Structures are given as C-alpha cells and as structure tokens.
Amino acid sequence: MNTTELLRWQWDGYPRFHRSRANLALHIVLVPLFLVCNLALVRFLIQGSWPSAFLALAGMGLSIALQGRGHGSEPVPPEPFAGPTDVLGRIFAEQWITFPRFVLSGGWMRALRESK
C-alpha cells in the first residue's frame, strides 16, 4: 500500500477504531508525547547525545505501548500489522497525520461526545 492509500485507509476507518472515551483520552495526551519525543530523538541524534536520544526513543515506545493498551478498550480492535514495515508506516502516519487531522477536523470531539 502506498502512502496515499495508507492515509485514505486510516482516515476511512479511524472513527470506527476510536470510539472508547478512555482510548480517546489516552490519544489526546499520548500522540503529542510521541511527536515531541520523535522531534527530540532527531535533535539528540544530530547532537550525538546518546543518553537523551535513548530517553526520547523510550518516550516514543511508551506512548505507542499505552495507545495500544487504549485500543484494548475499543469495541472494534485495530487491524493486525502485516509486518515490520507496516508497523512503522502505520504508526508514523497515524501519529503525524491521521490523528492530528482527526482532532483538527472535529472528529475527536465528535467521537468523545458519542463515546461510552
């Protein structure tokens, strides 16, 4: 699946996989954490600050792990990953594009109002 298809696929299914109030609350905190840690990782790698880079990477991992736990509260579980490339592509597309788009379009607030 190319990037355009991936983004369309994520966007089309996003409301279906993000209905739980707990998962929505986790995402609104943890996606920004992932983004900040991702930017920090790049900065620390460029600077050669390896301990700080490791902490930034750990923050990204924690964010993804907790988001995964949040998906456990969803009535519709996420689609399984097809492999390592799929994992990276889907995670980075969701964190950097699909979730911010979901928030900015009003989808997150709508889902929160309709959540259980």
Side-chain angles (χ1 to χ4, degrees):
M1 177 177 333
N2 68 36
T3 304
T4 302
E5 292 168 335
L6 171 61
L7 292 173
R8 182 173 296 125
W9 174 79
Q10 278 188 337
W11 184 249
D12 289 346
Y14 217 74
R16 186 167 38 114
F17 299 115
H18 296 85
R19 292 183 180 173
S20 159
R21 180 173 293 269
N23 191 33
L24 291 164
L26 284 172
H27 273 62
I28 203 68
V29 172
L30 295 172
V31 171
L33 173 65
F34 179 91
L35 298 177
V36 167
C37 288
N38 190 207
L39 292 172
L41 175 64
V42 172
R43 177 181 177 198
F44 295 139
L45 288 174
I46 290 169
Q47 291 176 336
S49 178
W50 309 119
S52 297
F54 176 77
L55 287 175
L57 189 60
M60 289 169 59
L62 178 64
S63 172
I64 294 302
L66 292 175
Q67 286 180 61
R69 297 276 318 254
H71 276 285
S73 67
E74 289 291 345
V76 178
E79 297 284 333
F81 292 110
T85 305
D86 187 45
V87 170
L88 290 176
R90 282 174 53 185
I91 286 174
F92 278 88
E94 178 178 1
Q95 303 301 294
W96 279 102
I97 300 170
T98 307
F99 184 76
R101 182 178 171 199
F102 189 60
V103 171
L104 294 173
S105 72
W108 183 87
M109 186 59 73
R110 199 167 28 260
L112 187 66
R113 282 194 301 263
E114 297 169 1
S115 68
K116 299 176 185 173

